[in-house]
């Protein structure tokens, strides 16, 4: 009951944005659950030899994730809350506007930190004491759970250069054969670093999962994001009209973020066939967008402008009706009473 209540309360925190809404959070959560299920069900990628599937071997191969239910739940929890109270504009806009949130978080991962703080405050409410105790047996586990959640949500801030640099360095240290360290680390530290990287890439891939799914799914979410930025532009909260850069920007996003991310999912070595599936869809969507993207952008702009025109007409019609009613009331009040 408390879990249901918590999810409903988190859902209420999401604003009615075209893209960053609770539907997006649900989509990301489902993607996280799917990728986790591939880690936890390794039959398809460990082969039929049961000797590969001993608890200790699974623990090592999946960097400890299969034997850590708290980490698994933290990933799902983070996906659910990661965009709570999103304002519909990127962090750069919040910082440029010197918004109250930007001031509170000193311009660093503004939306992400706000989502964590609001959701964590809710989670710590007395109304969810039993839920907390079911997840965390003691204060130490609660601290660790918060660390996992903060790390996961911060991973969705892909625009912060400092965070990006740290993630790249961590990846190189864990998976790049070219990087050698003079410091001998314990197996536990190596395992934990790789687990952290897997979790970061799992949440990042899930946050943009629509780019690695069927074309119609990609198109649907792409239009929602375009609409959100277009609304911000029309409201004077963005300097550039997204229709002017959307086509080329999506190609760059595929080439410099989506495709490398999909390849890293494969390089992590724990997602089985999902990593191939994500990469294949990303490559197909990239090709499809290159061929059809310009027409898609034109159609999205036309659709939004038509819808805006209908709304404007309805609003102006409503005002005319209100004006007419007001005139009728005024005339009625000044008419001579009927003496018949």
């Amino acid at each position: 009951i408390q879990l249901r209540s918590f999810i409903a309360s988190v859902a209420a925190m999401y604003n009615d944005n075209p893209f960053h809404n609770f539907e997006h959070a649900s989509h990301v959560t489902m993607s996280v659950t799917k990728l986790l299920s591939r880690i936890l069900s390794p039959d398809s990628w460990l082969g039929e030899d049961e000797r590969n599937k001993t608890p200790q071997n699974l623990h090592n191969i999946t960097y400890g994730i299969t034997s850590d239910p708290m980490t698994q739940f933290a990933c799902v929890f983070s996906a659910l809350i990661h965009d709570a109270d999103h304002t519909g504009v990127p962090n750069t806009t919040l910082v440029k506007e010197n918004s109250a949130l930007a001031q509170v978080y000193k311009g660093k991962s503004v939306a992400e930190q706000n989502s964590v703080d609001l959701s964590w405050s809710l989670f710590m409410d007395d109304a969810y004491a039993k839920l907390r105790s079911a997840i965390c047996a003691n204060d130490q586990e609660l601290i660790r759970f918060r660390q996992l959640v903060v790390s996961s949500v911060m991973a969705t801030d892909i625009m912060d250069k400092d965070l990006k640099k740290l993630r790249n360095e961590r990846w190189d240290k864990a998976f790049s054969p070219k990087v050698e360290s003079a410091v001998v680390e314990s197996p536990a530290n190596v395992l934990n670093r790789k687990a952290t990287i897997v979790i970061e890439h799992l949440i990042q891939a899930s946050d943009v999962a629509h780019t690695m799914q069927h074309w119609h799914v990609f198109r649907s979410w792409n239009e929602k994001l375009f609409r959100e930025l277009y609304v911000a532009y029309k409201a004077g909260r963005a300097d550039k009209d997204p229709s002017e850069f959307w086509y080329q920007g999506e190609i760059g996003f595929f080439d410099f973020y989506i495709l490398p991310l999909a390849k890293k999912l494969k390089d992590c070595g724990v997602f089985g066939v999902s990593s191939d599936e994500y990469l294949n869809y990303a490559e197909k969507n990239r090709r499809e967008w290159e061929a059809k993207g310009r027409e898609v952008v034109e159609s999205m702009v036309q659709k939004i402008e038509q819808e805006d025109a209908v709304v404007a007409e309805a609003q102006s019609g409503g005002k005319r009706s209100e004006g007419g009613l007001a005139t009728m009331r005024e005339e009625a009040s000044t008419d001579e009473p009927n003496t018949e």
Side-chain angles (χ1 to χ4, degrees):
I1 294 176
Q2 288 190 10
L3 179 58
R4 288 179 180 273
S5 173
F6 179 78
I7 293 173
S9 297
V10 168
M13 288 183 178
Y14 277 82
N15 296 314
D16 189 22
N17 301 312
F19 181 90
H20 290 100
N21 50 40
F22 190 65
E23 184 183 1
H24 166 65
S26 302
H27 189 250
V28 175
T29 302
M30 287 189 290
S31 177
V32 165
T33 303
K34 176 183 177 179
L35 287 174
L36 278 174
S37 71
R38 294 299 169 89
I39 297 177
L40 304 178
S41 302
D43 292 2
S44 60
W45 51 277
L46 279 182
E48 298 180 358
D49 192 340
E50 292 299 322
R51 292 174 297 180
N52 290 333
K53 302 173 186 177
T54 64
Q56 186 58 49
N57 199 34
L58 287 175
H59 175 87
N60 293 334
I61 291 173
T62 62
Y63 316 125
I65 296 174
T66 53
S67 50
D68 188 357
M70 180 180 288
T71 292
Q72 298 162 28
F73 187 78
C75 290
V76 176
F77 184 97
S78 301
L80 184 73
I81 70 165
H82 81 284
D83 275 329
D85 196 43
H86 197 288
T87 59
V89 295
N91 285 334
T92 51
T93 298
L94 296 174
V95 173
K96 183 179 179 181
E97 294 175 347
N98 196 31
S99 67
L101 284 179
Q103 293 178 42
V104 168
Y105 298 113
K106 304 186 187 308
K108 301 290 288 183
S109 302
V110 178
E112 292 78 13
Q113 291 199 70
N114 180 53
S115 296
V116 169
D117 282 351
L118 289 176
S119 302
W120 192 261
S121 177
L122 175 68
F123 181 63
M124 294 302 294
D125 191 277
D126 290 344
Y128 303 109
K130 290 183 179 180
L131 175 62
R132 286 196 304 276
S133 64
I135 300 168
C136 309
N138 50 51
D139 289 343
Q140 281 186 321
E141 288 192 354
L142 184 64
I143 291 171
R144 179 168 176 262
F145 182 67
R146 176 176 168 81
Q147 290 172 339
L148 288 166
V149 170
V150 171
S151 177
S152 297
V153 176
M154 289 304 106
T156 64
D157 183 2
I158 63 175
M159 301 306 294
D160 187 288
K161 293 181 179 179
D162 293 333
L163 289 177
K164 183 179 179 181
K165 181 181 178 183
L166 286 173
R167 286 193 288 263
N168 287 341
E169 289 174 351
R170 194 155 49 231
W171 173 273
D172 289 340
K173 195 170 184 179
F175 290 107
S176 175
K178 298 178 182 178
V179 178
E180 295 182 3
S181 175
V183 179
V184 178
E185 291 187 282
S186 69
N189 284 345
V190 173
L191 205 69
N192 287 338
R193 181 182 299 109
K194 290 186 175 182
T196 299
I197 291 170
V198 168
I199 292 167
E200 287 176 345
H201 285 74
L202 182 152
I203 195 82
Q204 287 176 345
S206 297
D207 198 22
V208 291
H210 63 281
T211 65
M212 307 179 205
Q213 294 172 341
H214 291 277
W215 168 253
H216 72 275
V217 176
F218 165 68
R219 274 281 290 110
S220 175
W221 285 102
N222 183 263
E223 181 174 328
K224 291 175 182 179
L225 183 57
F226 177 84
R227 180 183 295 270
E228 186 167 294
L229 297 182
Y230 196 77
V231 167
Y233 169 71
K234 288 292 188 179
R237 302 188 70 186
D239 296 330
K240 295 182 180 179
D241 181 346
S243 65
E244 296 177 358
F245 62 80
W246 200 256
Y247 170 74
Q248 201 60 46
E250 285 298 285
I251 291 178
F253 191 52
F254 271 108
D255 289 346
F256 297 107
Y257 183 70
I258 299 300
L259 292 175
L261 176 60
K263 290 173 182 176
K264 282 187 174 181
L265 285 182
K266 186 175 180 66
D267 292 342
C268 285
V270 297
F271 294 112
V273 296
S274 282
S275 56
D276 292 321
E277 176 186 310
Y278 275 42
L279 179 57
N280 289 338
Y281 275 124
E283 290 174 339
K284 288 180 181 177
N285 286 336
R286 199 272 187 205
R287 290 193 297 269
E288 195 93 359
W289 179 262
E290 185 173 19
K292 301 178 180 178
R294 294 188 191 279
E295 295 176 6
V296 169
V297 174
E298 289 180 10
S299 68
M300 289 193 299
V301 173
Q302 290 176 1
K303 182 178 179 181
I304 293 173
E305 289 179 345
Q306 288 171 358
E307 291 175 356
D308 287 348
V310 170
V311 171
E313 176 63 24
Q315 290 175 341
S316 63
K319 290 178 180 177
R320 285 197 298 271
S321 297
E322 290 172 7
L325 288 171
T327 302
M328 290 172 63
R329 291 193 186 99
E330 184 178 354
E331 291 175 349
S333 66
T334 57
D335 282 345
E336 292 293 330
N338 189 345
T339 58
E340 293 182 0

